[in-house]
Every structure is written in structure tokens, then in C-alpha cells.
Amino acid sequence: MTVHNAEIAEMFDRMAILLEIQGANPFRVRAYRNAARTLGGLPRSVSDMLCEGEDLSKLPDIGKDLAGKIADIVETGQFAALRDVEREVPAGLVELTRLPGLGATRVRVLYEELGVSDIGGLRRAAKSQRIRELRGFGAKTEQRILDALSRRAQEERRYKLADVEPIANSYVRYLEAIPGVKEVIVAGSYRRRKETVGDLDILVTCEKGSPVMETFVEYDEVDAVVSKGTTRSTVLLRSGLQVDLRVVAQVSYGAALYYFTGSKAHNIAVRTIAVKKKLKINEYGVFKGKRRVAGATETEVFKAVGLHYIEPELREDRGEIEAARKNRLPHLVSVGDVRGDLHVHTTATDGRHSLKRMAEAAKELGYEYLAITDHSKRVVVAHGMDEKRLRKQLAAIDRLNEELRGVRVLKGVEVDILESGKLDLSDSILEQLDLTVCAIHTGLGLSRERQTERIIRAMDNPHFTILAHPTGRLINQRAACDVDMERVMQAALERGCYLELNAQPDRLDLDDAHCRMAKDMGLKLAISTDAHTADNLSYMRFGVDQARRGWLEPEDVLNTRSWRKLQKLLVRL
Ligand code: DGT
Ligand code: CA
Ligand code: CA
């Protein structure tokens, strides 16, 4: 392994920062910085130069000592002196020097005087107003640090909806218990059921004099209070999640809920309509001059601006306002419409529960049917099945269906789509199944052209029923594979096959825009949980949330149908 100049430069830069934090001789610090700059600008690799016996100490800003260190790094891949300093200085301090307004010198003071060694410690010190007491800091600097931390927390990441749900629920329960509190509801992107949320926006209505704000900031999970006022406050939780709280009077509940649900783009578009009607709309109500004409309920607010009620999932300024004006809004699918799950696993491959247990769980949910779709042999890590094992499972399903009452177990498989576009199992076994879910597990990086061709070729197989998790993306983790979705959907329509909306909270694949595309093209989708345990069957609601964001109605979803009707749809064209 050759060591690149940039890597050595980075080690030197890091060394300079650490030494500076330690209060080392400024000449030493500068020597590392200058050497790093020299290395960054060299046209040739120092590894090569050393190989050719060149003397590195002839380079600008690199003396005998540093030349020796570079030679060591090239030889061992490691910088021993850096390791030593790293043992003495807390790692979190380097990150602190990257915040605006905080150089190494200030970070050293914070560490020595207040014991601040990471972002969390810095936030606590700033919140408790200990930073302003330090020489050379002051209240202004303290506020700048808080602002920088708050910006950082917001930019840093978006949280998966399913991850914040338990956090939101317990905060809501906590706030509901405050005397005088009436309504507590989470608005924002959370209420619009976006797959990820930036922060939580909680709305509370209460009687005057209720101790809402005091109690809000005292919540156990609160790590820092960013701001606290009488009508609005913001806290950061230990998880890093920001929570905004707004308190309004009951007469403004509908207007405030409407305003803080957003999206911003939707709000702005509706405000334009209000202005044309000579109305003012804000978080306190809809006003004609000084008179409040609406505000207690959202329906009232919509009515005042001449619109039918728009479900939160649709409020993205993607045509919903026009549709609301013309009374052409979709009647969105809901969890109650779902009659079965078409993609689940069992212990036969990588599921955790038996065939029987999964079937019983489906029955408990009131489902009419459940398709068992374990992996095919190519997916070795999941202990994928060959034809012989699948045949055994089919026999087990027959036996189970004879004893089970009230739910029908369908025969399926999650069959791998090979890179050639062939399916991983032979037609002679696939034709014995009620349906197949076909999926890509390898070669996710193929070019758009080849990936699209591969999927369409697989659809040419008459036993192809549903394309599972069509893009393979994992939220915050793996990008979608590059495929021409419109062509894939068109090909599915022409062949009588379908696409899946995978309801796993970290997949939600297809996304909302793709669901909308399918609807517009007249292609039906299956909403499936890909459950690997009995509990996972409850992921259905996340899939339904995403479907609603994509404007899907019950008719657009395969598994809202009775088995009798579904069976007909599964027959290929
Ligand atoms: P997020 O948190 O990034 O997932 O997305 P949201 O939609 O929850 O956005 P957030 O938390 O910044 O604000 C909550 C809602 O407040 C937003 O959906 C609409 C409303 N809002 C915020 N800023 C503005 C604004 O400048 N104008 C208008 N009309 N509404 C705003
Ligand atoms: Ca938000
Ligand atoms: Ca917010």
C-alpha cells in the first residue's frame, strides 16, 4: 500500500491542531502546517521520490527531522508521534476547532477551564452560561457558539420516521399530562408522514397560566435548551433530535396546526390564494381586516380560502391545491383497506418466525391472505432455497392451509434476478406458485441502460409477478440504483406485472414521487412489509403512509382486493 501525499498532509495538519491545543511551541505547530501545505502541492508522490533515493529535506519547508518522519510514515503507514499526542488530547477537541469562531486556542481554554471535550460538553457549558465568564469570550461569543451548534444539529441529519415515532409519542404523552393542556399534536413533516424528518414540531393548546414551557424543557430526554419563550421554545434531545414547541389558544388551534404542518411550499401557495381573496392567513387564524373568520379547525381554514380539506400527506404543493379547488382530491388508501401482505419471510430462509406463526399473525391482523416469499438459492447469505427445499415448503403450505381457518397462505418466493436478467429458479417450479416477488440483490451498480434492460428482460419471464424493492435504496445508507423507472413501469403495464412499495422503514422503496408516477401511468402497486418477524407485519402502516404521499387510492393498490379479485389480476397478459 503506497501512502499518498494527501494522507501525510492530513496527518501533519491534525498534528498541528493537536499541538496547538496542547499549547506547544508555535514554531513547531507552524512547521507541521507548512510541511502539510508543501506536500499538498507536490506534483510527485513522496513515496516514489523516496524509492528513487531523493532527499526530501531539499523540499521547501521540510527539514531533516520532518523528512525522517515522512520516510517513517511511507514505510510503516503510521505516524508514531501523532499517535502519542492523540493519547494525550481528547479526540472531540479537534472537531470543536472546526466550529466557526473557535480556534485551537479557544478550544484549549474551554478544555482547561471548563473541561469541555466534545460537542455535548460545549453545548452544556454554553447553555449554563459558563462560557461568557471566561477571559476573552463574553456573552456574544457564547450566543454565536449556540447558534453554530443549532445550525449544525439541523444540517447534520434527517431522522427516519419510524425512529422518531416512539420519541414523539412519549413526548406527547408527557405533555398531555400537564394540567390545563388540551390538545397536543405533532405537526411538520412528521404529520405529513415524510420518510425522514429534520425536527419535530409539537403544537399545544392550553388554558392561560399553564406551566407548559417549564415542563417542556424539563423533559428527561432534553440535552440542551436552545431557546425558551412564552409561546415558542426549542430543545435538543440526547439523540440530537431538535424539538420545537408552539403554544396557542384553542381558538387558533386549526390555523396553527395548519400553518405548522406545512409544507412551507404548500403554505406559500395557499397564502397567495388568500391574498387574492383579500384575506390574511397566519398561525392565529384567517382574517378579514381585523376580524377572525376562521381558525379553530383546519377544515374551517380551508373553507375560508375556498378549498376542500387536504390530507397532510398531500400538502407538498404538487397539485393538491388545484385538486382541492375542483373537488378532485384522491380518496387516499388507509391501513384498514389492506387485506393481506404479499412479501414475507420465514425460518426457511432468513426470517425469525415459522410459517405457522407468520400465518397466525396475519390472521390476527384480520388479513384474508399472506404470501410466503422466502429467498431463492442465489442469495446465499439468507440461506436461499433451491428447488428441492422450495418444493418442501410448498407441501408444508398445503398442509397448513388445510388446518388453518380464516386466512389463506399463498405460495410465493422472493426470486433473485440474475445479472443476465434470468430468474434464479426454473419455470417448472415457478409455475406452481401463486405469485413471485422478483428482486435484485447483486449488481446494484450497473449502468442505467443495463439495469433497466436486466429488469425488463426478467419481466419477460411469464412467472414474474411483482418487482420487489425496485430501486434497492436504503434511507440514509445506500443510494437507489440507477434505473429508468418510467420504462420499467411501462414494461410492467404491457406484461401485466406489478411493482412493490416495500414498507420496511429503511427502504420505503418505491418513494412518494415514484408512487405518484405509477398512479399517473395506471400501474397498480403492492404494498408489502418484507416482514422477517411476526411483529414486522405492522410495518404496513409506513408503506401506507408513503403510498398516501404518492396519492394512491385503494384501487391503485393490489392488496386491498379480496383474494378472488387479486387472483385474476395476478394472471399475466
Ligand atoms: P423538516 O423538519 O425539515 O423535516 O420539515 P418541516 O416541514 O417540518 O419544516 P420545519 O420544521 O422547518 O417547519 C415546520 C412547518 O412550519 C413547515 O412545514 C411550514 C411552517 N413554516 C416554517 N417556516 C415557514 C415559513 O417561512 N413560511 C411559511 N409559510 N411556513 C413556514
Ligand atoms: Ca419539522
Ligand atoms: Ca421545526
Side-chain angles (χ1 to χ4, degrees), residues 158 187-190 192 194 196-201 244 259-264 267-268 271:
R158 300 186 57 84
S189 52
Y190 181 87
R192 302 198 312 277
K194 227 177 138 170
T196 62
V197 305
D199 69 2
L200 289 178
D201 306 278
D244 292 342
Y259 183 88
F260 294 116
T261 296
S263 65
K264 195 170 159 178
N267 286 359
I268 290 169
R271 186 180 306 145

Side-chain angles (χ1 to χ4, degrees), residues 27-316:
F27 290 105
R28 235 180 117 206
V29 173
R30 206 170 312 139
Y32 278 113
R33 267 211 183 111
N34 291 341
R37 196 171 320 123
T38 299
L39 288 170
L42 278 186
R44 295 174 58 211
S45 135
V46 288
S47 301
D48 292 349
M49 292 168 73
L50 284 167
C51 268
E52 283 153 30
E54 286 181 48
D55 182 1
L56 297 183
S57 68
K58 296 234 165 72
L59 291 169
D61 286 321
I62 294 186
K64 274 219 150 34
D65 176 56
L66 283 174
K69 290 196 163 97
I70 293 173
D72 280 350
I73 294 171
V74 168
E75 193 181 322
T76 65
Q78 290 179 3
F79 183 13
L82 177 62
R83 284 271 197 90
D84 293 342
V85 180
E86 277 175 337
R87 264 196 284 274
E88 291 161 19
V89 181
L93 293 183
V94 177
E95 199 186 355
L96 295 188
T97 63
R98 297 199 187 104
L99 286 173
L102 280 188
T105 318
R106 282 193 155 160
V107 168
R108 182 173 81 244
V109 176
L110 287 166
Y111 178 55
E112 284 175 353
E113 303 289 322
L114 302 177
V116 167
S117 62
D118 56 19
I119 295 280
L122 181 67
R123 191 183 293 127
R124 282 189 290 277
K127 288 316 296 177
S128 57
Q129 310 199 330
R130 281 179 294 152
I131 292 179
R132 63 177 65 182
E133 317 273 276
L134 297 173
R135 263 188 66 180
F137 281 78
K140 257 200 191 133
T141 308
E142 191 175 78
Q143 189 55 47
R144 267 217 308 279
I145 291 173
L146 281 172
D147 292 346
L149 287 174
S150 149
R151 263 200 313 280
R152 187 178 173 278
Q154 276 176 311
E155 282 163 12
E156 212 168 44
R157 59 180 168 144
R158 300 186 57 84
Y159 296 75
K160 281 179 253 178
L161 187 59
D163 292 346
V164 298
E165 210 175 58
I167 301 175
N169 286 337
S170 29
Y171 220 149
V172 166
R173 274 197 301 276
Y174 171 82
L175 294 169
E176 278 170 346
I178 302 173
V181 161
K182 293 231 151 71
E183 312 276 355
V184 182
I185 185 164
V186 187
S189 52
Y190 181 87
R191 183 161 179 248
R192 302 198 312 277
R193 307 311 282 164
K194 227 177 138 170
E195 60 193 33
T196 62
V197 305
D199 69 2
L200 289 178
D201 306 278
I202 305 183
L203 179 68
V204 165
T205 65
C206 66
E207 285 163 7
K208 251 205 169 111
S210 162
V212 173
M213 286 305 177
E214 290 308 321
T215 316
F216 173 66
V217 299
E218 278 164 12
Y219 186 53
D220 214 31
E221 286 301 306
V222 169
D223 186 36
V225 181
V226 179
S227 68
K228 187 172 149 240
T230 52
T231 61
R232 57 201 291 183
S233 296
T234 294
V235 297
L236 286 170
L237 302 183
R238 278 179 226 288
S239 57
L241 182 67
Q242 177 173 311
V243 183
D244 292 342
L245 179 73
R246 320 276 170 149
V247 179
V248 298
Q250 196 67 34
V251 285
S252 295
Y253 176 64
L257 178 58
Y258 173 70
Y259 183 88
F260 294 116
T261 296
S263 65
K264 195 170 159 178
H266 167 95
N267 286 359
I268 290 169
V270 168
R271 186 180 306 145
T272 316
I273 298 178
V275 168
K276 280 193 196 130
K277 292 183 183 290
K278 305 234 182 312
L279 295 168
K280 200 176 96 186
I281 179 167
N282 61 28
E283 60 262 57
Y284 301 106
V286 184
F287 298 87
K288 192 166 230 152
K290 287 208 157 103
R291 193 165 59 90
R292 190 202 311 262
V293 297
T297 68
E298 280 193 317
T299 309
E300 205 176 283
V301 170
F302 279 114
K303 206 169 157 216
V305 291
L307 298 176
H308 285 267
Y309 177 83
I310 302 173
E311 299 281 0
E313 293 92 332
L314 299 178
R315 302 183 198 167
E316 298 289 349

